[in-house]
Amino acid sequence: MLSEPTPIPESDHARQWRARDLAVLWHPCTQMREHLSETLPLVPIARGDGAWLVGQDGRRYLDAVSSWWTNLFGHAEPRIAAAIARQAGTLEQVILAGFGHPPAIELAERLLAVAPRQAGRAPLAKVFYADNGSAGVEVALKMAFHWFHNRGEPRRTRFIALENGYHGETLGALAVGDIPLYRQVYAPLMGQALFAPSPDAYLAAAGETAEQRALRAADALADLLDRHAGEVCALILEPLLQCAGGMRMHHPVYLRRARELCDAHGVFLIADEIATGFGRTGSLFACEQAGVMPDLMCVSKGLTGGFLPLAAVLATQSIYDAFLDDSRERAFLHSHSYTGNPLACAAALASLSIFAEDDVIANNRERAATMARLAEPLRAHPHMADLRQTGMVLAFELTRGGDKATPFPAAAQVGLKAYRAALQRGVVLRPLGNVLYWMPPYCIDDEQLQLLAEVTRAAIDEACACA
Ligand SMILES: *Cc1c(COP(=O)(O)O)cnc(C)c1O
């Protein structure tokens, strides 16, 4: 019944909004021609309601990707909306150089209180704000380099990143990313990062466990660090889950080994928790599941519950201390106009309160179990190469015949077809290549998950049918 899309005639109202949109907007991460030629429908949204997005024509779309992984508790969550409104009537913005304000202070206190800890290590102690994830990554990279510079080791200019990793789109962040589609054109503009093999369990050899795969990747990291001793200032990685790289997951033992190797080589460990943070992976931060504390941790996306752009970089006291001096040159002079915006900080504070009020992490465990149960029947789908889950993120990797050795070629456009098929059925899935995934708002209920599972099956069937 659900496998047949219901053709709802588009209203004039929605058509007009679409025309106005296409007349003036250049959309992110989009080949605009697909919209102009109507290969892909562009969907103007009027409002959000929990896990639903509501189009200008009144059609409802289940937001199974949490609006680019930002939304935590549903759209227009009233407690966060109210906190922003209250703050807007008090202090909307103030320069954060030379000035502070209660939301920025309180948010820093609370982030540091819940940040990952590790026995025997001094905890993360300072918060530097930025206004989006990529900017937060730039901050962490610059801090790592500048720390060594201040300590008299200016030749430590290189970063190690993981193959298939993603850290954002600005040139510095892109340089430590390894997704050719986003990176390749700009390669001539970028610094040369070193890439270590990904611990990705999907890449395990036949008969190899996820843990063995992770340990093998850690050995390769050890080699790389040995070969470039004295040149490297930091390792940056997405803990447990490479999101943009196709929701690829790895065993936590990798993080423990990476932590030890960074310590042995005197190199910083930067955890990019921009997508994994705030409960996505089953714990508040992914690093917790490995018992590892990074030296620098970047958070953004879910930080404000998905309401406003904000990023924070958490650093150790020892990193901070190396910038204290009589000279301004040794200071960290990075800034963004909206650094620590009070409205965004107020949203983040309200979001953190919801974690406690609603016992979110415990409830997510139960949500994640329901997701697993509903997805399980799809494991037997003839084109399913892998079905994997880490907490509130569940991914389906499709290949021809379900064999890892025969991926669908890009020209088969499996992801695009699945996207379109799901959208017609009122669900927003936005596949990454041939990987479909669920990363829903935490408020998604059983009925909505049921719909999601049914539509996912229909979308996979339709996308693979003629691929
Ligand atoms: C999204 C993302 C970023 C970039 O954040 P933006 O706010 O989009 O700039 C960086 N790192 C990871 C892991 C991400 O998923």
Side-chain angles (χ1 to χ4, degrees), residues 105-158:
I105 298 162
E106 197 184 337
L107 179 58
E109 290 169 350
R110 285 172 65 181
L111 285 174
L112 293 170
V114 298
R117 285 167 188 263
Q118 188 174 346
R121 304 189 85 86
L124 293 164
K126 290 288 183 281
V127 174
F128 191 99
Y129 290 114
D131 48 18
N132 66 74
S134 304
V137 167
E138 303 279 345
V139 165
L141 297 175
K142 285 174 69 177
M143 272 182 184
F145 164 75
H146 199 161
W147 186 90
F148 281 106
H149 192 277
N150 282 353
R151 302 277 293 233
E153 288 190 74
R155 290 179 55 203
R156 293 222 189 216
T157 56
R158 305 197 76 178

Side-chain angles (χ1 to χ4, degrees), residues 69 132-135 137 166-169 238 243-244 272 274-275 300-301:
W69 322 338
N132 66 74
S134 304
V137 167
Y166 179 82
H167 301 287
E169 299 294 336
E238 297 160 90
C243 290
D272 179 348
I274 290 169
S300 186
K301 291 205 167 106

